[in-house]
Amino acid sequence: MKTIAYVALMLAISPMAIASCLSALDSASLKQRLDNTGEMAYANVNVSFQCSAATAPYQKLIYANPKLKSLHVLNNRAVIYGYENATKTEVADSPAAIRATLKQQGDAAARCTSAECVCSAYSQSIDDMGGANFGRY
């Protein structure tokens, strides 16, 4: 069932080769993919930090842009999925275990200082988690 959820997750973003990452993001598609992955397997995997605790530039950018916030959640779900597949171990369905795993894996956008960088970093991260079977979206 998690595989099906991940397929939906991987299809969340339209091709971005021609347009900028942010302009290529479709809000309706992002919402649909969040709904699908949340219902199927990853409902407890959400934003990895509190808005009030956002201190890094990329964190502030995420909370200032609803598309980036959705993309951040999709990335977190992809990271948990990738971790589970790599280790053949499910992450406990608790906020503490999820946060610990996300922290251990690092945030792909942590060095970004622009919204476009955050979008591109998360798009690449999600693409990497999906492997060649999902292609570039």
Side-chain angles (χ1 to χ4, degrees), residues 4-101:
I4 293 169
Y6 192 65
V7 170
L9 173 72
M10 294 289 67
L11 298 175
I13 305 165
S14 60
M16 295 184 212
I18 298 172
S20 75
C21 183
L22 279 173
S23 66
L25 288 176
D26 174 44
S27 296
S29 178
L30 284 169
K31 183 186 178 327
Q32 179 183 10
R33 299 309 176 229
L34 284 170
D35 291 346
N36 289 345
T37 58
E39 289 175 8
M40 299 180 115
Y42 297 101
N44 288 338
V45 180
N46 291 299
V47 178
S48 59
F49 52 87
Q50 296 294 323
C51 183
S52 60
T55 57
Y58 83 99
Q59 293 171 333
K60 292 176 183 180
L61 289 166
I62 288 167
Y63 272 99
N65 186 315
K67 287 182 181 181
L68 290 181
K69 188 173 178 184
S70 294
L71 195 59
H72 174 74
V73 173
L74 284 172
N75 179 70
N76 287 348
R77 291 176 181 181
V79 168
I80 296 296
Y81 174 85
Y83 176 85
E84 289 177 338
N85 279 340
T87 63
K88 305 297 184 219
T89 305
E90 285 195 31
V91 174
D93 197 19
S94 74
I98 292 166
R99 276 193 308 273
T101 302

